[in-house]
């Protein structure tokens, strides 16, 4: 049975696709059969990282032309590695219907290979969360930057809530208990998962035990990228502590990758780092991560946690644009500051950075406005 490895990130630009591509090749070099799938629909560019021409066979063609799924699994120039191209022509993940998502999940699970690596889009769209929950051992890529840490934590918080609402289905006493909070999302966001489990245990003990079991099975793995010095690696332990305290979630530390300008040269050459310069610091870090994956025992959710259970139910505070929801972001900041993952000075630095970015955006906006006004005036003169 193949092992699915979803790779996600709370925000873009932290090296998610870098890890996905190089990890696939590193595993292939060790004799493992790997299928690398670009599920960053609407922004598919994984083929550039591995230097693969996507061609016409892609997920987009499979969705629209009803072709055979096996026909879009294309060989690559790398030993034991096959590739499923995404499709940048799919503008929005919400265009995928529930039946299409279930069909995709079932076809992925039926691939005859050792590992299936899913390069997911950034953020917390329901589709991304469901793909991440295809395995209890998905990989979250983050970076030591404060915003990356916050978004990484928020991604895991969203995943836990998605697991919660997938377990407590409509009609169960526990769902009725959860629905009481829908009118007060701020209260729900401030209620930590361990506290919530206590209330659910009284209302719906049977389903609550099932959720506890699934939380024990759920062991996402963290990779810290763009490390500049050993002190920044401590951020991983801080995220782990906050997840344990506020989400009741145990995460595993899979490894770190130092910032390496070599990646830019490799990307320009359309060669993965482990091919371009395997002995580099970055290349060796990826090989260590691959070794850990091979040596670790694979885990799975219980058999009742099937693709059909991934409903379209949304919780109003943990929905498609949760990272942009003000109250939800504040709850994440509260958790990380209270747990010591963010210091007050780091929080202040994040605010300063965001203020600077807002100022720059205002300047660009004013410049564009002035250009539009001038263009309109010239048009009237003509």
């Amino acid at each position: 049975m193949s092992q699915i490895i979803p790779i996600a990130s709370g925000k873009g630009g932290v090296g998610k696709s870098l890890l996905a591509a190089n990890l696939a090749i590193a595993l292939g070099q060790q004799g493992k059969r790997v299928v690398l799938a670009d599920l960053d629909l609407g922004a598919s560019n994984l083929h550039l990282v591995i230097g693969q021409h996507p061609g016409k066979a892609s997920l987009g063609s499979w969705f629209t032309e009803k072709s055979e799924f096996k026909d879009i699994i294309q060989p690559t120039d790398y030993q034991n590695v096959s590739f499923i191209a995404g499709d940048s022509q799919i503008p929005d993940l919400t265009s995928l219907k529930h039946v299409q998502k279930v069909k995709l999940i079932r076809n992925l699970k039926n691939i005859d290979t050792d590992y299936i690596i899913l390069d997911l889009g950034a953020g917390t769209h329901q589709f991304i969360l469901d793909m991440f929950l295809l395995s209890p051992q998905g990989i979250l890529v983050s970076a030591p930057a404060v915003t990356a840490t916050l978004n990484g934590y928020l991604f895991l918080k969203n995943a836990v809530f998605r697991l919660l609402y997938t377990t407590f289905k409509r009609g169960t006493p526990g769902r009725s208990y959860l629905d009481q909070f829908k009118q007060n999302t701020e209260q729900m966001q401030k209620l930590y998962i361990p506290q919530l489990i206590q209330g659910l245990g009284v209302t719906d003990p049977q389903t609550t035990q099932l959720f506890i079991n699934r939380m024990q099975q759920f062991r996402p793995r963290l990779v810290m990228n763009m490390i500049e010095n050993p002190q920044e690696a401590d951020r991983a332990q801080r995220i782990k502590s906050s997840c344990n305290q506020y989400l009741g979630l145990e995460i595993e530390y899979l490894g770190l990758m130092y910032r390496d300008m070599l990646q830019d040269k490799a990307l320009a050459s359309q060669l993965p780092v482990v091919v371009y310069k395997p002995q580099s610091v970055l290349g060796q870090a990826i090989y260590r991560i691959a070794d850990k994956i091979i040596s670790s025992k694979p885990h799975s959710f219980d058999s009742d946690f099937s693709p059909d259970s991934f409903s379209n139910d949304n919780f109003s505070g943990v929905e498609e644009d949760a990272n942009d929801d003000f109250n939800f972001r504040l709850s994440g900041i509260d958790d990380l500051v209270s747990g010591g993952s963010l210091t007050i000075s780091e929080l202040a630095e994040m605010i300063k950075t965001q203020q600077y970015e807002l100022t720059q955006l205002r300047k660009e906006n004013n410049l564009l406005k002035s250009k539009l006004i001038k263009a309109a005036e010239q048009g009237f003169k003509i």
Side-chain angles (χ1 to χ4, degrees), residues 10-60:
K11 67 185 294 292
V14 296
K16 169 180 57 62
S17 296
L18 161 71
L19 176 62
N22 283 275
L23 179 59
I25 294 170
L27 290 170
Q29 289 173 347
Q30 298 193 50
K32 304 299 181 182
R33 297 173 302 152
V34 185
V35 173
L36 175 64
D38 189 350
L39 294 190
D40 190 356
L41 305 183
S44 303
N45 59 6
L46 189 59
H47 59 280
L48 297 176
V49 183
I50 63 173
Q52 177 87 3
H53 191 279
K56 295 182 179 180
S58 66
L59 280 171

Side-chain angles (χ1 to χ4, degrees), residues 202-218:
V202 175
T203 306
D204 189 348
Q206 183 175 355
T207 313
T208 300
Q209 187 57 54
L210 176 60
F211 176 69
I212 291 173
N213 293 341
R214 288 177 175 173
M215 284 293 288
Q216 291 173 345
Q217 296 163 354
F218 189 31

Side-chain angles (χ1 to χ4, degrees), residues 298-309:
H299 298 286
S300 60
F301 285 114
D302 56 273
S303 57
D304 290 334
F305 196 62
S306 65
D308 296 299
S309 68

Side-chain angles (χ1 to χ4, degrees), residues 162-182:
R162 184 63 175 150
L163 182 63
L164 180 75
Y165 271 77
T166 302
T167 302
F168 289 91
K169 301 182 185 298
R170 293 191 181 278
T172 61
R175 173 57 75 90
S176 300
Y177 179 84
L178 292 172
D179 286 343
Q180 296 174 10
F181 294 95
K182 279 195 173 181

Side-chain angles (χ1 to χ4, degrees), residues 74-86:
Q74 298 294 306
T76 70
D77 294 333
Y78 307 105
Q79 182 182 8
N80 299 317
V81 179
S82 300
F83 181 61
I84 299 177

Side-chain angles (χ1 to χ4, degrees), residues 64 95 186 228 296 305:
T64 57
S95 63
E186 185 175 355
E228 297 280 5
S296 63
F305 196 62

Side-chain angles (χ1 to χ4, degrees), residues 89-140:
Q89 301 304 312
I90 301 177
D92 192 348
L93 288 171
T94 55
S95 63
L96 285 186
K97 299 177 181 178
H98 176 65
V99 65
Q100 291 177 307
K101 180 176 66 176
V102 172
K103 183 180 177 182
L104 173 60
I105 291 172
R106 288 177 173 168
N107 277 275
L108 287 171
K109 287 191 169 186
N110 286 331
I111 297 176
D112 180 19
T113 189
D114 296 318
Y115 294 97
I116 303 172
I117 295 179
L118 308 179
D119 181 25
L120 305 179
T124 56
H125 190 283
Q126 180 178 300
F127 173 83
I128 297 172
L129 293 174
D130 287 351
M131 294 299 109
F132 190 75
L133 289 172
L134 285 181
S135 167
Q137 296 175 293
I139 298 174
L140 175 72

Side-chain angles (χ1 to χ4, degrees), residues 231-350:
Q231 288 73 30
E232 290 184 338
D234 182 57
R235 180 80 58 178
Q237 184 58 44
R238 294 198 227 168
I239 296 177
K240 178 179 174 68
S241 299
S242 293
C243 286
N244 181 263
Q245 182 175 356
Y246 301 112
L247 304 181
L249 177 66
E250 289 288 344
I251 63 174
E252 298 178 4
Y253 182 44
L254 190 57
L256 61 84
M257 301 189 299
Y258 274 86
R259 187 187 297 274
D260 193 340
M261 297 306 293
L262 182 70
Q263 166 57 17
D264 294 332
K265 296 181 180 179
L267 185 60
S269 303
Q270 292 196 350
L271 286 174
V273 172
V274 293
V275 175
Y276 184 79
K277 195 170 183 180
Q279 297 303 319
S280 64
V281 173
L282 188 54
Q284 290 302 301
I286 292 167
Y287 282 126
R288 284 195 297 271
I289 292 171
D291 288 340
K292 286 184 179 179
I293 289 175
I294 291 174
S295 62
S296 63
K297 181 180 178 181
H299 298 286
S300 60
F301 285 114
D302 56 273
S303 57
D304 290 334
F305 196 62
S306 65
D308 296 299
S309 68
F310 291 83
S311 69
N312 284 330
D313 292 340
N314 275 321
F315 175 64
S316 57
V318 192
E319 52 191 4
E320 297 173 1
D321 296 321
N323 271 356
D324 296 323
D325 181 84
F326 182 73
N327 288 329
F328 195 77
R329 286 181 65 85
L330 281 184
S331 73
I333 293 174
D334 287 343
D335 292 352
L336 293 179
V337 171
S338 300
S341 293
L342 294 181
T343 65
I344 299 300
S345 61
E346 289 170 335
L347 182 59
E349 184 63 30
M350 181 177 70

